[in-house]
Amino acid sequence: MLHINPKMLGRLEELEADLLARLQQAKEENWLGEVEGINLTLTFLREKREETQRRAQRRTVELGIPTRRLPGAG
């Protein structure tokens, strides 16, 4: 699954604006298949944006550097 860098949220806004313009044109031209495809893409884009915003609010957890255990030790 692809995770979007939170720095790219602005780009998602640009993509959404472009899709909305294309959706308007598709509706005006009565391109029903195109309308359906754009609506689906908008749904995925919005879900991805929400997920990215949630991930950006979570703090990262430092797990440390793994070490090898010696045989017979604990």
Side-chain angles (χ1 to χ4, degrees):
M1 183 153 161
L2 206 71
H3 293 292
I4 296 175
N5 185 330
K7 295 177 184 177
M8 298 301 293
L9 284 172
R11 179 67 178 131
L12 290 180
E13 300 295 330
E14 292 174 19
L15 291 171
E16 183 177 24
D18 181 59
L19 284 168
L20 290 171
R22 289 175 48 198
L23 178 62
Q24 183 62 35
Q25 180 185 7
K27 285 180 178 179
E28 290 170 1
E29 300 290 338
N30 202 28
W31 297 334
L32 301 180
E34 188 74 8
V35 168
E36 183 178 347
I38 292 172
N39 281 329
L40 188 60
T41 302
L42 279 168
T43 299
F44 292 139
L45 182 139
R46 290 171 178 157
E47 288 173 359
K48 190 56 80 170
R49 180 179 51 216
E50 290 169 7
E51 174 193 337
T52 302
Q53 289 170 336
R54 280 192 308 273
R55 289 183 68 238
Q57 292 175 354
R58 284 190 258 157
R59 293 190 302 182
T60 57
V61 176
E62 181 61 45
L63 299 177
I65 298 174
T67 58
R68 280 182 53 183
R69 294 184 188 174
L70 297 174

